Amino acid sequence: MNVYSLEVRDPREMEAAFDLVTRDRPDGLLLLADPLTMSMRARIVEFAREKRLPAIYETREFVDAGGLMSYGPNVQAMTRRSAYYVARILKGAKPADMPIEQPTKIELVVNLRSARALGITIPQAILLNADQVID
C-alpha cells in the first residue's frame, strides 16, 4: 500500500488537493479533522462521493454529512468535558495544576447508505462493533 499525505492550510488549497487526488486516484481516503476540514466537511464528503472514493473520517460529523464512516473521539463528549475544566477554572483552579486528559470515548460510525452508493459491502464484524449504523 502506498500512503500519500496532503496538507491543506486554507480553503483555496482544498480544490488543488482535490485535483491532485483526482489525478493520482487513491484506493481510499483517511481524513483528519481540524477547524478547516470541519468547516468544509460538506464539500469534502461531496468530493469523495462524486469520485466514488471510500473515505474514513476522524469524527462522526463527516458521516452525518453523508460520509462513509468515522473512527475517532466523540467531539460532543469532549466538549462536555471541557465545560468541567472551565467550571473548575472559574472556581479558582489553576490550569497548570490540572491534568491533561485523553478522549475516553472513541466511536465507530458507519453510513450504510453511503456504502451502498459506493458499491461497498461493510463486513458484519464492523457493523456489530459500530457504535452507530446509519441506514
Side-chain angles (χ1 to χ4, degrees):
M1 174 185 333
N2 293 321
V3 177
Y4 301 97
S5 176
L6 297 175
E7 185 175 333
V8 178
R9 295 185 185 140
D10 67 55
R12 294 180 308 262
E13 292 179 355
M14 189 66 73
E15 291 302 323
F18 290 157
D19 290 342
L20 183 60
V21 168
T22 299
R23 189 173 54 251
D24 298 334
R25 184 176 172 79
D27 293 326
L29 300 174
L30 166 64
L31 192 109
L32 302 178
D34 65 21
L36 175 64
T37 58
M38 290 295 286
S39 70
M40 297 188 71
R41 67 183 169 273
R43 175 64 184 112
I44 292 166
V45 167
E46 175 188 348
F47 170 79
R49 184 176 43 247
E50 286 173 357
K51 300 301 178 186
R52 300 187 51 79
L53 284 169
I56 186 165
Y57 305 93
E58 188 176 11
T59 64
R60 73 165 300 130
E61 287 77 11
F62 289 89
V63 180
D64 293 338
L68 178 60
M69 65 175 48
S70 66
Y71 185 70
N74 181 304
V75 175
Q76 289 179 343
M78 290 180 3
T79 301
R80 282 191 297 274
R81 188 62 183 163
S82 66
Y84 164 79
Y85 274 81
V86 170
R88 287 193 54 205
I89 291 167
L90 291 174
K91 291 177 183 175
K94 294 180 183 175
D97 294 337
M98 297 171 67
I100 296 173
E101 294 183 5
Q102 295 290 324
T104 57
K105 175 65 176 153
I106 305 296
E107 63 181 357
L108 172 63
V109 182
V110 179
N111 187 326
L112 288 179
R113 196 172 342 121
S114 296
R116 283 191 294 273
L118 291 168
I120 295 172
T121 300
I122 303 295
Q124 191 66 22
I126 291 176
L127 296 174
L128 290 173
N129 283 298
D131 294 280
Q132 183 176 5
V133 177
I134 299 170
D135 197 10

